[in-house]
Amino acid sequence: MLRSILLALDDTEGAIAARDYALALARHTGAALTAAIILDRRDLTDAHEAVPPGASAFKERRDAALLRQAQEAGVVAVAGLRDAAGDFPFTVQELAAAPAPALLAAAGAHDVLIVGRDSSLGREAAEDGLAPVIEALLHDRTRPLLVVPPGARFDPAAAALVAYDGSPGALRAVQLFALLGLGRGGASVLSVAENEAEAAILAGTAAGYLQRHDVNAKPLPVIGTHPVEALLAEAAAMPAGMLVMGAYEHTGLRALFTGSATKHLLRRAPCAIFAAH
């Protein structure tokens, strides 16, 4: 069961949605919530930056101002979390390193890491609305990742959409989804294959596993070769409370995800994505 959540705290639209999502999930499950503030002093002060003669004093003032701005932004973000949390308890952890390694190290003490889809986490730019730190986090096998888009909300009664192709990443994602108790609202297992029999076997396998873990799961076999579009269409039609998927798998003709396909889903999914590598 879910016992501990790590939230990457930020002030973007998606990060605020992630904040509220994490709070609602923590309230629903009773999990402890830790909010992480990224304060990469090395990035903010950039000790290796070339400085022209006589400009060191200017650099020191600029670096101090950048660090102060980052600290003030962290204070504002924590205040926003405190207002949203009300009487719900949480802890704050300051991470003084670059976003990806800092979050990867901190996530080892928690069951799941939640991050906003567009979170800048300091000074990183979110190209096309997708935070660059997300790809780095997905490549690591430390903990599953919940990516929350702007506007998404946690609904315990909403069914999840599970993407399953039999790959190691998909197996791991389905297992963690079940063991963490995230399937209380039920699930539809979507599997895409070039023939009906193969799609039915894949979807039935994952649905059967989830049913043994008390998840009201139904198989949804789809004939085709475009799983990303099928998932996006089904997620919108349900509407899905969460999309469960493996990430960055390479399994030949049965591959459901490649790096580019995963990014496409992350950018366009209307709901939070629970991803495991």
Side-chain angles (χ1 to χ4, degrees), residues 37 53 111 115-116 137 195 206:
I37 298 175
D111 293 316
V115 61
L137 295 172
N195 63 78

Side-chain angles (χ1 to χ4, degrees), residues 8-23:
L9 200 59
D10 203 354
D11 61 357
T12 63
E13 187 179 357
I16 292 172
R19 179 199 70 192
D20 295 343
Y21 195 102
L23 280 169

Side-chain angles (χ1 to χ4, degrees), residues 3 70-71 88 117 140 145 209:
R3 291 290 179 261
Q71 291 170 331
F88 188 84
R117 184 167 69 187
D140 189 272
L145 180 67
Y209 175 85

Side-chain angles (χ1 to χ4, degrees), residues 45 79 221:
T45 58

Side-chain angles (χ1 to χ4, degrees), residues 23 27 81-90:
L23 280 169
R27 286 192 178 102
L81 173 59
R82 187 173 294 111
D83 289 342
D87 59 358
F88 188 84
F90 63 89

Side-chain angles (χ1 to χ4, degrees), residues 8 15 17 52 55 76 89 99 114 121 177 185 227 269 276:
V76 171
I114 300 182
L121 298 177
F177 170 73

